[in-house]
Amino acid sequence: MIKTRAKYNLGQVVKHKKHPFRGVVFDVDPEFANTDEWYSSIPEDSRPVKDQPFYHLLAENDQSYYVAYVSEQNLVADYSGQPVEHPDIPDLFGPFEDGLYPLHFQLN
């Protein structure tokens, strides 16, 4: 069994390496935990390996807000200091400060 440690934390702002969007991490799966249909929909030459952390993001791009599911290999930390404007952020996090969103709720 491989012990994986997530590189990014809850409340951290990250951006996709290849696609023009950024988001706030609100959940992490230690390895791929989505559907086979979702995985198969990714072009084969772009498919990430499954045995790495995958992140649930409150994401935004120039056109819209959405929830994204992204492998660790496709993310980088966003050090722009700019907040993410996703409308669901206040439900989960406190105000943006020092490049992070503090958790607004208690985890089990």
Side-chain angles (χ1 to χ4, degrees):
M1 181 174 145
I2 299 170
K3 180 101 169 120
T4 15
R5 181 173 170 83
K7 186 175 182 179
Y8 305 110
N9 302 308
L10 299 182
Q12 186 170 359
V13 179
V14 293
K15 58 186 176 181
H16 199 282
K17 286 182 179 176
K18 300 174 185 160
H19 301 291
F21 72 85
R22 49 201 293 270
V24 180
V25 176
F26 73 90
D27 196 10
V28 182
D29 295 331
E31 59 186 32
F32 180 79
N34 207 328
T35 64
D36 289 333
E37 291 80 19
W38 183 92
Y39 192 74
S40 298
S41 74
I42 300 170
E44 204 166 332
D45 60 346
S46 302
R47 254 180 230 158
V49 295
K50 290 184 174 183
D51 61 346
Q52 63 178 317
F54 276 73
Y55 297 83
H56 299 262
L57 308 177
L58 294 176
E60 67 177 10
N61 62 25
D62 290 342
Q63 288 83 37
S64 65
Y65 303 109
Y66 52 97
V67 172
Y69 190 67
V70 186
S71 63
E72 187 168 274
Q73 77 187 56
N74 284 320
L75 291 173
V76 292
D78 182 320
Y79 296 113
S80 69
Q82 299 298 311
V84 174
E85 304 295 334
H86 194 290
D88 293 341
I89 287 174
D91 295 341
L92 301 175
F93 300 102
F96 185 68
E97 59 184 56
D98 299 327
L100 294 171
Y101 286 92
L103 284 174
H104 200 58
F105 58 92
Q106 190 64 44
L107 296 172
N108 291 336

